[in-house]
Amino acid sequence: MMKLASYNMRKGVGTDRRRDPARTLQVLREIDADVIALQEADRRFGAREMVITAHLLAEHSDWKAVPLAMRERSMGWHGNALLVRKSAEIVGCGAIHLPALEPRGAVVADVRIGAELVRVVGMHLDLSGLWRRKQAHAILAHLDAAPDRPPTVMMGDLNNWSAASGCLRDFGRRFAFAQTGPSFHARHPVGRLDRIMVSNELRVADCGVHASAAARKASDHLPIWAVVERDAPPSA
């Protein structure tokens, strides 16, 4: 059993328009997940520096960043980053290049926590429905091309408002969605833009939206979380 979380941290800029990475880290500590997918983890322009510095992460958290950065001062790929427990083993990781008009990408890592190995995909999809579907197909094709298929979790800001159409329908053919609830806008959440999806080897035991006082200020998205476990095999 492991706890997962996904958070569009908005580059550490809260609804009060202040950039406060320590506050973002406080929200993550409140959730206390084993694996975290972050979106907008790096600044957008210039050197695209990480918002939560390596020192802050090392000294004030129980996580380490999966080494996905393509730039020296970044944490992730196009703002997508993965954090795992310091005790976790990172078996492998990489970037998934997505078709897009604006910079978009997804990241993937195989992580062993205790005896369990899970493949984790973090993503931040396009605002355009047409490009979201192309990006969903690229992610699924990447998973299909892998020589092995461990239990898989996909998480991120999908930017899709309707559960019955678009990329959600594409993902839903093969993955089950955690029913976490609306996470956007943080002050008055009505949109289920952030999603956690699991392959059929896994079962969602519990899930929700983290709506603490700090989370309502730290970003325009609320973080979502899910507790997952291996699904029991059918009895003989």
Side-chain angles (χ1 to χ4, degrees), residues 12-222:
V13 178
T15 54
D16 56 2
R17 300 185 180 180
R18 291 194 304 112
R19 191 187 306 276
D20 188 346
R23 179 172 57 185
T24 303
L25 201 54
Q26 175 190 343
V27 173
L28 297 180
R29 286 196 299 264
E30 290 174 354
I31 303 168
D32 195 30
D34 300 301
V35 181
I36 304 167
L38 295 175
Q39 302 86 51
E40 300 192 20
D42 299 328
R43 300 193 186 207
R44 185 170 184 179
F45 301 109
R48 299 187 181 179
E49 295 175 299
M50 64 183 75
V51 173
I52 301 174
T53 65
H55 171 77
L56 192 63
L57 189 67
E59 296 296 324
H60 299 282
S61 87
D62 293 328
W63 303 285
K64 59 186 176 184
V66 174
L68 295 159
M70 304 293 180
R71 294 171 180 260
E72 182 181 0
R73 299 182 182 178
S74 299
M75 179 181 284
W77 166 245
H78 289 311
N80 291 285
L82 296 172
L83 303 180
V84 298
R85 296 279 189 202
K86 290 178 179 176
S87 59
E89 178 189 1
I90 301 168
V91 179
C93 61
I96 304 174
H97 295 261
L98 300 183
L101 289 176
E102 59 181 274
R104 294 284 177 176
V107 292
V108 59
D110 288 352
V111 181
R112 193 182 307 278
I113 299 177
E116 293 295 328
L117 177 70
V118 64
R119 179 161 292 160
V120 182
V121 178
M123 67 187 78
H124 189 184
L125 301 189
D126 206 278
L127 295 173
S128 160
L130 175 62
W131 285 102
R132 280 197 302 272
R133 294 201 69 184
K134 291 180 178 180
Q135 290 161 2
H137 293 163
I139 292 168
L140 292 171
H142 181 92
L143 295 177
D144 287 342
D148 58 340
R149 297 188 185 183
T152 301
V153 176
M154 302 199 296
M155 304 187 282
D157 179 358
L158 274 57
N159 270 317
N160 204 110
W161 289 81
S162 173
S165 64
C167 69
L168 295 189
R169 184 171 55 193
D170 298 330
F171 285 133
R173 293 189 180 101
R174 292 169 48 184
F175 287 80
F177 288 88
Q179 299 303 313
T180 53
S183 55
F184 181 84
H185 185 279
R187 286 180 173 170
H188 182 62
V190 294
R192 299 187 180 210
L193 304 187
D194 304 284
R195 297 282 182 163
I196 296 175
M197 303 166 275
V198 300
S199 62
N200 58 16
E201 301 92 345
L202 299 172
R203 183 182 74 86
V204 177
D206 197 9
C207 62
V209 177
H210 185 74
S212 69
R216 290 186 179 276
K217 290 182 180 179
S219 170
D220 57 350
H221 286 247
L222 295 172

